[in-house]
Amino acid sequence: MAERKKTGFVPTMGALHAGHISLINKSTAENDFTVCSIFINPTQFNNAVDLQKYPVTIEKDIDLLEKAGCSLLFLPELTEMYPAGEQVTRYNLESLETILEGKYRPGHFQGVCRIVDKLLAAVTPDNLYLGRKDYQQCLVINKMIEEREHKVAVHICDTVREDDGLAMSSRNLRLTATERSKSVKIIAALRMIKENIQPGNLSELKNEARIFLEKNGFSVDYAEIADAETLELQDERMGNKKMVALVAAYLNDVRLIDNLIL
Ligand code: AMP
């Protein structure tokens, strides 16, 4: 009997860069078909200006996807994903919804789950490729997949960075030249945490990272250290539990996030 063909899926909001393409490359290497979706999902934006200013570069995106050997681009209309009058599913995300991104972007992860749930139902992939850059989102999507019993294997891919260390992001397109040069301080703060973490209390180290960013012109939502598996916030380092440092900070009105495994 012929072997069943495998489908890999990479959901995105477009304005594609080398980070997205690394997920496409992983998928094409491991599957017979690769589907990419581009959909700027309004339900995951808790800030109307952020949605309005989200970059759109569709011609360039199509070109990049063709060159990367993506088999199919799914480019749904708003009404296709959100038909009028549909009942809204609520996902049980427990504490993931109230900490870090959940705390500062109320409703964001419900919106992410809503769209990824629908996309998985439409594409029915064997493999789903997500970026570690959105660390908490990976945990949230895993939880939703479990709750909704989607039969898909999740693959978390490393963060692709610019040469100076800035994590690639569609929102980087919105940085001015001055903001772009300041933006490298995010990875500098994360590396500072990684290099200086010691057993015992972590408050001072987290505070130093926050002050360092503020001195460099950022308005900081959080500079935190969490359990790498559960994302439970950590005030003490005990034993050799795997931990992750996470930052979310604004340069003027552009919000950037990044993280580093410790
Ligand atoms: P987005 O278009 O920002 O919603 O991202 C779509 C997917 O690409 C998500 O799984 C992201 O985590 C992933 N992604 C975004 N930026 C990067 C990056 N710099 N490196 C690797 N994956 C990324």
Side-chain angles (χ1 to χ4, degrees):
M1 208 173 81
E3 225 181 290
R4 207 178 69 78
K5 302 269 191 213
K6 287 215 179 306
T7 302
F9 178 42
V10 180
T12 82
M13 297 204 296
L16 301 184
H17 50 66
H20 297 113
I21 299 305
S22 76
L23 309 191
I24 300 284
N25 290 341
K26 189 117 203 297
S27 174
T28 60
E30 296 177 354
N31 297 275
D32 302 288
F33 296 104
T34 289
V35 179
C36 175
S37 63
I38 296 181
F39 181 69
I40 301 179
N41 175 36
T43 64
Q44 73 184 69
F45 284 81
N46 54 309
N47 177 325
V49 178
D50 190 27
L51 172 59
Q52 207 185 354
K53 291 196 176 165
Y54 202 83
V56 179
T57 60
I58 192 67
E59 298 301 328
K60 183 174 163 247
D61 294 353
I62 292 171
D63 195 42
L64 286 173
L65 290 173
E66 278 178 347
K67 289 195 174 119
C70 178
S71 327
L72 192 141
L73 167 62
F74 182 34
L75 198 62
E77 294 289 333
L78 186 63
T79 50
E80 204 174 339
M81 298 320 290
Y82 294 116
E86 82 161 358
Q87 209 184 326
V88 179
T89 308
R90 254 207 82 78
Y91 302 86
N92 179 13
L93 303 175
E94 298 175 354
S95 62
L96 287 175
E97 203 165 355
T98 52
I99 57 163
L100 303 168
E101 291 299 282
K103 177 172 171 187
Y104 289 93
R105 302 187 67 189
H108 168 64
F109 285 132
Q110 287 295 329
V112 168
C113 286
R114 230 177 129 191
I115 194 63
V116 178
D117 190 7
K118 285 164 180 277
L119 290 168
L120 287 176
V123 178
T124 60
D126 301 281
N127 295 299
L128 173 68
Y129 297 86
L130 302 173
R132 186 170 289 117
K133 150 99 180 7
D134 297 283
Y135 198 95
Q136 191 172 2
Q137 174 169 277
C138 295
L139 269 68
V140 161
I141 291 176
N142 265 324
K143 207 160 169 43
M144 177 278 289
I145 285 174
E146 213 173 283
E147 182 180 335
R148 303 287 284 170
E149 300 183 346
H150 287 291
K151 290 185 181 41
V152 62
V154 178
H155 306 264
I156 312 290
C157 305
D158 286 345
T159 302
V160 177
R161 299 180 178 281
E162 302 287 355
D163 289 343
D164 63 5
L166 174 66
M168 289 194 183
S169 164
S170 306
R171 286 187 179 86
N172 295 351
L173 292 174
R174 292 182 46 208
L175 298 170
T176 63
T178 316
E179 289 163 354
R180 174 65 188 82
S181 61
K182 285 183 180 172
S183 64
V184 294
K185 300 297 183 193
I186 292 199
I187 186 65
L190 291 167
R191 286 179 180 148
M192 191 270 283
I193 291 177
K194 185 169 176 138
E195 279 156 25
N196 292 293
I197 191 161
Q198 301 282 345
N201 193 285
L202 299 173
S203 310
E204 204 173 311
L205 187 57
K206 292 195 261 189
N207 216 18
E208 271 173 36
R210 171 183 284 272
I211 290 167
F212 169 76
L213 287 167
E214 283 171 354
K215 280 196 178 141
N216 281 286
F218 287 84
S219 161
V220 181
D221 273 355
Y222 57 80
E224 268 295 350
I225 299 172
D227 180 308
E229 251 121 65
T230 62
L231 268 193
E232 196 188 331
L233 302 182
Q234 306 289 301
D235 288 322
E236 295 277 330
R237 169 156 234 189
M238 282 182 298
N240 44 14
K241 190 193 266 191
K242 198 167 145 194
M243 298 209 254
V244 58
L246 308 104
V247 162
Y250 284 88
L251 272 175
N252 300 317
D253 69 340
V254 184
R255 189 172 185 275
L256 300 172
I257 64 169
D258 198 358
N259 64 81
L260 200 61
I261 300 276
L262 302 176

